Amino acid sequence: MVSIVISGGQWGDEGKAKITDLLSEQAEYIVRYQGGANAGHTVSCQAGLFKFHLIPSGILFSDKICIIGPGTVIEPSFLLKEIENLKKQNISLKGLRISQLAHITMPWHSALDKATDTVGSTGRGIGPTYTDKAKRAGIQVKDLLQESSLRAKLEKILPKQNQTLRQIHGLPEYKLEEVCQEYLNFGQQLQPFVSDTLNELFEARKSGKNILYEGAQGTLLDITFGTYPFVTSSNPVAGGACIGAGVGPTAIDYSLGIFKAFSTRVGDGPFPSEIHFEDENAVKLRQDGTQWAEFGTTTGRMRRVGWFDAVLARYAVRVNSFSGIAITKIDTLDAFDEIYVCVAYRHKLTNEIIQNLPHASADLLSQCEPILQSLEGWKSNTHKATNLKDLPPLARKYLDFLSNSLEVPISIVSTGPDREHSIILKEVFCYSNPPLKRSRICE
Ligand code: GDP
Ligand code: IMO
Ligand code: MG
């Protein structure tokens, strides 16, 4: 039995889904633990190109149980569309499970998100849904399955929401009866997938199953540890897997951090190693017009790009206690004469050289300028490489440089979007925890 948590080490879009898909073959359960339809996870394999928002990437394997966990937030019409699209692509949804505890993104959450956004959000209602969860005014999956429960909650919640929508934001109000019927209808359609996921996970652990916990977003978008306030509203960090799935820390054997070989960010907020979007290096990193161009999977927005930031990455290694990391998109750097890495910051006011950040808040990062170190580019092809020996010496040197800077071993190098385009340096499914046992006190 091995349980691995996969989480992003940067600002999301690190290639988490590609790595989850790669490792899913060896897992029996795949669990999404936080976030909602703000995520956009791409998997490319022989069966086609798939874009997931809420459903764990493991669903492409028909024999896996894929759980949308208690810590997620679900926009039902969006999830139903995702289910429909997968059916059209001949993917079986037999293994899909939805936690009855997950919170529902109601239509006013999306409207409020768009009306009040100050961070360049995805507009998917994530912040307002988590806000209502914390205010103890949320609606959960289980409420959509019982008319009396949904009606009672709406009677309590909706008048206040309508007042806020109308008086503060000048937005249209919602009619209780219409919302109630529409969401009961969603409940009916989702019911076949709703289950007691806590019990399922407990039983899975008891019977020694391999489990993958799949994070969305990334460490620097974490509401506590990210570049606050330019963050999402959940905990993408590895520790979030415990809260979001309903297991304790002893249930996790291995924490795998996913990093792109450079940096990207969608939305607003500090980005110390950013390259101006018109700079030729930015254009090259973004690879406009190619299949791998850096445009958001969810919103289609152009991703901001920059060099690998080892200071923030070291910080991410610490707050996630990464056991190992995967470096993705190394092939994107194939054509560069010189590649830069941000190895430290200089504090603009004190001139202090900072190698380890106490936190990553936006106000601190705005006072820092990056110190870049140049490394020689390998100027040859790494795309689709499957063996370390196939990587040019300078590419290996770059990887060693990252591993040394972060003080963590590299477990996987990704050289292309497909499952096969991967170099496995260390099997991660071997860090086993013993299955649960009983004590025998009476004997
Ligand atoms: P996620 O949100 O972390 O799952 O990442 P996204 O799916 O949003 O973005 C990652 C993008 O990079 C997707 O288009 C992947 O198909 C692609 N990708 C992942 N790994 C590699 C790689 O090693 N090389 C290349 N060229 N593309 C990759
Ligand atoms: P995956 O799982 C990249 C960003 C948004 C915005 C901020 C807050 O594909 O890596 P939100 O809608 O969550 O309130 O937006 O977070 N953001 C992401 N950026 N990848 C994601 O998910 C993201 N999910 C949210 O652009 O800056
Ligand atoms: Mg993404």
Side-chain angles (χ1 to χ4, degrees):
M1 170 174 82
V2 183
S3 292
I4 299 170
V5 53
I6 292 179
S7 26
Q10 297 158 313
W11 284 285
D13 304 327
E14 298 91 346
K16 297 175 295 292
K18 140 107 204 216
I19 303 296
T20 303
D21 172 67
L22 175 70
L23 297 177
S24 286
E25 198 164 6
Q26 295 174 75
E28 279 118 330
Y29 285 72
I30 299 97
V31 189
R32 227 331 257 283
Y33 59 84
Q34 45 68 234
N38 48 349
H41 295 169
T42 319
V43 174
S44 170
C45 58
Q46 265 186 346
L49 186 71
F50 298 89
K51 293 187 188 293
F52 300 104
H53 299 284
L54 275 155
I55 297 177
S57 321
I59 201 78
L60 298 179
F61 294 86
S62 58
D63 57 338
K64 313 294 177 192
I65 302 293
C66 290
I67 295 177
I68 301 179
T72 61
V73 292
I74 297 174
E75 209 279 72
S77 69
F78 211 89
L79 175 56
L80 287 164
K81 237 179 263 156
E82 196 171 336
I83 291 173
E84 256 338 283
N85 287 340
L86 285 170
K87 280 186 186 160
K88 276 190 207 145
Q89 288 180 283
N90 291 322
I91 302 303
S92 161
L93 275 301
K94 189 170 58 87
L96 180 63
R97 306 281 187 274
I98 302 171
S99 165
Q100 44 193 336
L101 295 181
H103 276 249
I104 299 293
T105 295
M106 300 299 287
W108 46 86
H109 291 138
S110 312
L112 285 171
D113 195 13
K114 287 175 193 133
T116 61
D117 178 38
T118 51
V119 301
S121 90
T122 58
R124 291 279 151 84
I126 307 299
T129 312
Y130 278 116
T131 301
D132 276 351
K133 175 179 178 179
K135 276 165 73 181
R136 291 152 293 190
I139 289 172
Q140 291 168 282
V141 168
K142 64 183 173 56
D143 300 319
L144 305 191
L145 307 182
Q146 209 182 11
E147 180 164 357
S148 56
S149 169
L150 181 61
R151 191 173 289 281
K153 289 209 171 166
L154 285 174
E155 276 166 5
K156 214 167 143 198
I157 293 166
L158 198 50
K160 278 191 213 142
Q161 286 288 6
N162 274 337
Q163 198 180 9
T164 308
L165 287 163
R166 182 174 29 85
Q167 288 183 358
I168 301 182
H169 304 289
L171 291 168
E173 296 188 8
Y174 291 86
K175 293 197 173 69
L176 190 145
E177 204 46 49
E178 282 176 17
V179 175
C180 191
Q181 289 316 317
E182 186 180 10
Y183 280 74
L184 285 172
N185 186 284
F186 287 145
Q188 257 179 18
Q189 295 179 70
L190 292 175
Q191 185 157 34
F193 305 107
V194 178
S195 81
D196 176 359
T197 63
L198 296 182
N199 187 50
E200 261 191 89
L201 267 188
F202 184 71
E203 291 299 330
R205 294 199 59 236
K206 228 166 60 174
S207 55
K209 304 279 195 249
N210 285 346
I211 303 170
L212 271 185
Y213 297 94
E214 181 187 24
Q217 291 83 51
T219 304
L220 302 174
L221 290 173
D222 186 280
I223 184 134
T224 308
F225 298 105
T227 53
Y228 191 87
F230 299 95
V231 290
T232 190
S233 302
S234 66
N235 291 111
V237 291
C242 291
I243 316 268
V247 295
T250 54
I252 312 276
D253 304 300
Y254 192 93
S255 172
L256 179 65
I258 317 298
F259 290 87
K260 251 179 213 173
F262 52 102
S263 304
T264 61
R265 175 163 205 169
V266 198
D268 306 339
F271 185 172
S273 65
E274 182 170 15
I275 308 170
H276 189 274
F277 77 102
E278 282 173 337
D279 185 292
E280 67 172 305
N281 283 326
V283 176
K284 246 157 112 179
L285 284 175
R286 239 183 0 253
Q287 299 193 86
D288 299 10
T290 69
Q291 178 185 352
W292 310 291
E294 292 289 357
F295 287 83
T297 314
T298 297
T299 56
R301 286 180 291 180
M302 187 172 81
R303 291 177 184 152
R304 298 157 66 191
V305 294
W307 301 112
F308 189 91
D309 188 330
V311 182
L312 283 172
R314 254 195 308 274
Y315 167 78
V317 168
R318 291 174 180 204
V319 296
N320 288 282
S321 304
F322 286 141
S323 324
I325 60 173
I327 301 286
T328 64
K329 297 200 82 166
I330 187 83
D331 53 312
T332 303
L333 300 177
D334 283 353
F336 286 81
D337 292 318
E338 272 185 309
I339 299 165
Y340 292 88
V341 173
C342 171
V343 290
Y345 292 151
R346 188 189 322 276
H347 195 282
K348 288 180 196 164
L349 304 177
T350 63
N351 260 339
E352 186 196 348
I353 302 297
I354 301 172
Q355 262 157 351
N356 289 303
L357 288 164
H359 56 80
S361 307
D363 49 4
L364 174 57
L365 291 186
S366 69
Q367 294 163 355
C368 293
E369 59 188 22
I371 298 175
L372 299 178
Q373 182 168 332
S374 160
L375 285 97
E376 196 181 338
W378 44 92
K379 301 276 287 178
S380 57
N381 191 26
T382 65
H383 188 52
K384 301 187 181 180
T386 54
N387 199 309
L388 201 53
K389 290 201 294 276
D390 300 335
L391 293 186
L394 287 171
R396 296 168 67 157
K397 202 168 158 192
Y398 182 70
L399 292 168
D400 269 342
F401 185 87
L402 298 189
S403 177
N404 286 335
S405 309
L406 272 53
E407 299 182 82
V408 71
I410 298 175
S411 310
I412 300 168
V413 179
S414 173
T415 58
D418 283 25
R419 217 176 266 169
E420 297 74 34
H421 307 155
S422 310
I423 303 173
I424 312 279
L425 300 177
K426 208 170 181 71
E427 279 300 334
V428 290
F429 269 105
C430 60
Y431 295 86
S432 179
N433 225 345
L436 304 177
K437 285 202 187 114
R438 293 157 200 256
S439 52
R440 290 184 175 271
I441 293 170
C442 290
E443 279 169 22

